[in-house]
Amino acid sequence: MADSKENLTIHINEAWCKGCGICIAFCPKKVLGFNENGKVTMLDRENCIKCGMCQMRCPDFAIFLGGKE
Amino acid sequence: MNHPLAEGFFRMEKLPHIWCPGCGHGIIMASIARAIDKLGLDKDKVCIVSGIGCSSRAPGYMDFNTLHTTHGRALAFATGVKLANPELEVIVIAGDGDLSAIGGNHLIHAARRNIGLTTICFNNNIYGMTGGQYSPTTPTSEKGTTAPYGNIDKPFDITQLAIGAGATYAAKTTAYHVPQMDKLMEAAIAHKGFSLVEAISICPTYYGRKNKKGSAVDMMNFLKDSFIDHKVAEKLPPEKKEGKFLIGEFLNKVEPEYTEQYDKIIAQLKK
Ligand SMILES: Cc1ncc(C[n+]2csc(CCOP(=O)(O)OP(=O)(O)O)c2C)c(N)n1
Ligand code: SF4
Ligand code: SF4
Ligand code: SF4
């Protein structure tokens, strides 16, 4: 499990993000924010704990944990 | 890279969906797909049926056998599907208007028969698709386009309605409480007999605007602060429970399932 988390990172599909702000508001580490287009952006990748709450609450499949490219 | 769930369980060419920014329906739809994944169901043995409404658009995005029917009648169509092919896992997606106003009669009779269907109600307390008319779950004194001075009706509790009518599994959850929602979805789909999960959704566009509930984030905060698991609530002092709504699994029991009883009659007559 720890191993698999190592290889994960947050991915954002900006084209699908509707800028509702839900993932940003409920991220326990407050590492997400809006970019200049009003879409979600990762502000502090170091401090993301890969809990997946943003992925679970995004209504639009626009943010998710996936393998590092 | 694409969202892992979107890729396996949704019609990618139909996404992004048309729901408004912050609409809770997308959160609930994803939870259903995760539950199907977790249960390891054969995708070809799953049939998702809906009526009409914003919520009822979900099967259009979901990559299973899907049926988009008429307003309020999803349970009637689903009953036909299940009787014709009882080995299918039939899941009905319905809005609060669809399920408890025009479709209320289908709901109570499907529950009464304990037919093996899983019904997921996307309850946003309003008619979203048609522009914000009040529904049977709009709380008293809240507003809708058809209740500009406040609703004078008393709302239905859909979970309790299903229990009263004879459902054998009933649970309530919210679009904020996703880990709980995932577990309840799984249990409801795995349940033999009529099961219902009432998922409280948010409609920032109509319910939110009409009732000055703020942004989607504000509405999610309301869900977070106002709903507690009834098992947790049992242990809390009365002042901590005041004004809270209860969620969680309310009923899980075993009774004869309708299509099995039906097949028994056929077998008997063939003797
Ligand atoms: C027979 C019939 N009556 C009325 C309508 C109009 N209509 C379409 S959707 C809807 C209600 C939608 O509300 P709900 O079921 O709560 O779903 P939501 O859009 O909020 O997800 C109504 C009244 C219709 N399409 N067909
Ligand atoms: S995985 Fe958790 S910590 Fe990381 S961005 Fe998402 S919600 Fe925040
Ligand atoms: S929850 Fe989804 S749609 Fe909303 S801001 Fe975050 S990524 Fe965008
Ligand atoms: S009108 Fe309401 S229920 Fe319909 S998509 Fe918009 S937010 Fe969702």
Side-chain angles (χ1 to χ4, degrees), chain B residues 39-50:
Chain B
L39 289 167
L41 301 181
D42 176 353
K43 271 172 71 174
D44 293 331
K45 290 270 158 64
V46 175
C47 180
I48 306 190
V49 186
S50 72

Side-chain angles (χ1 to χ4, degrees), chain B:
Chain B
M1 177 182 287
N2 275 311
H3 191 292
L5 193 65
E7 195 119 322
F9 294 87
F10 289 86
R11 296 173 178 144
M12 292 296 283
E13 72 283 6
K14 294 272 166 69
L15 293 172
H17 55 63
I18 62 147
W19 290 322
C20 306
C23 173
H25 289 356
I27 305 173
I28 305 167
M29 178 173 77
S31 176
I32 298 173
R34 268 195 306 276
I36 293 171
D37 185 22
K38 201 81 182 288
L39 289 167
L41 301 181
D42 176 353
K43 271 172 71 174
D44 293 331
K45 290 270 158 64
V46 175
C47 180
I48 306 190
V49 186
S50 72
I52 299 290
C54 293
S55 34
S56 285
R57 296 191 69 104
Y61 303 116
M62 304 181 79
D63 197 12
F64 301 92
N65 300 295
T66 57
L67 194 57
H68 193 183
T69 73
T70 56
H71 191 38
R73 313 293 172 211
L75 277 167
F77 285 88
T79 297
V81 171
K82 185 73 183 176
L83 271 170
N85 197 347
E87 62 182 63
L88 289 181
E89 200 61 68
V90 183
I91 300 171
V92 171
I93 292 177
D96 44 295
D98 195 73
L99 190 67
S100 70
I102 188 168
N105 227 10
H106 297 299
L107 169 62
I108 57 175
H109 293 290
R112 177 176 64 83
R113 285 168 159 166
N114 194 34
I115 185 162
L117 307 171
T118 301
T119 297
I120 312 297
C121 181
F122 290 26
N123 182 1
N124 55 12
N125 306 101
I126 206 145
Y127 290 181
M129 177 165 269
T130 44
Q133 296 80 8
Y134 71 88
S135 87
T137 64
T138 304
T140 310
S141 75
E142 294 278 83
K143 294 189 172 113
T145 42
T146 45
Y149 309 109
N151 175 28
I152 59 171
D153 290 8
K154 193 165 74 174
F156 265 148
D157 179 328
I158 291 181
T159 305
Q160 294 301 327
L161 178 65
I163 292 173
T168 47
Y169 184 95
K172 193 187 293 203
T173 183
T174 90
Y176 174 82
H177 299 85
V178 182
Q180 178 201 50
M181 173 155 58
D182 282 10
K183 284 196 200 109
L184 297 173
M185 291 285 183
E186 241 187 276
I189 295 170
H191 181 77
K192 212 159 138 195
F194 188 83
S195 58
L196 176 128
V197 177
E198 179 184 0
I200 308 296
S201 189
I202 55 171
C203 169
T205 303
Y206 289 110
Y207 189 79
R209 270 196 216 149
K210 290 243 169 302
N211 291 290
K212 302 195 168 50
K213 302 289 184 196
S215 66
V217 168
D218 293 330
M219 293 179 82
M220 287 288 273
N221 266 312
F222 174 79
L223 298 180
K224 176 177 175 234
D225 298 337
S226 312
F227 288 79
I228 45 170
D229 194 285
H230 68 95
K231 287 198 179 117
V232 174
E234 263 173 29
K235 295 174 198 129
L236 291 178
E239 66 274 13
K240 290 237 161 138
K241 291 188 264 195
E242 222 180 272
K244 305 266 193 214
F245 303 99
L246 300 180
I247 49 175
E249 189 177 89
F250 288 95
L251 180 71
N252 188 352
K253 66 175 179 184
V254 181
E255 276 180 15
E257 191 274 328
Y258 190 76
T259 58
E260 281 185 5
Q261 297 304 102
Y262 194 86
D263 283 347
K264 271 190 207 158
I265 295 275
I266 293 173
Q268 229 171 50
L269 292 173
K270 273 188 180 158
K271 268 188 208 156

Side-chain angles (χ1 to χ4, degrees), chain A:
Chain A
M1 190 66 203
D3 246 21
S4 61
K5 254 196 179 181
E6 266 299 287
N7 297 321
L8 291 177
T9 191
I10 284 292
H11 294 257
I12 290 167
N13 180 351
E14 197 177 314
W16 287 8
C17 171
K18 293 176 184 163
C20 69
I22 290 174
C23 60
I24 300 169
F26 299 106
C27 165
K29 301 308 278 182
K30 300 282 177 243
V31 297
L32 300 170
F34 288 111
N35 66 15
E36 62 287 355
N37 305 321
K39 307 285 183 101
V40 70
T41 189
M42 175 53 88
L43 299 175
D44 182 3
R45 199 170 290 277
E46 288 273 280
N47 282 312
C48 164
I49 53 169
K50 303 168 187 179
C51 64
M53 289 319 297
C54 50
Q55 174 173 345
M56 276 201 167
R57 294 207 183 93
C58 171
D60 285 274
F61 303 111
I63 186 164
F64 54 94
L65 286 164
K68 291 178 179 160
E69 326 252 273

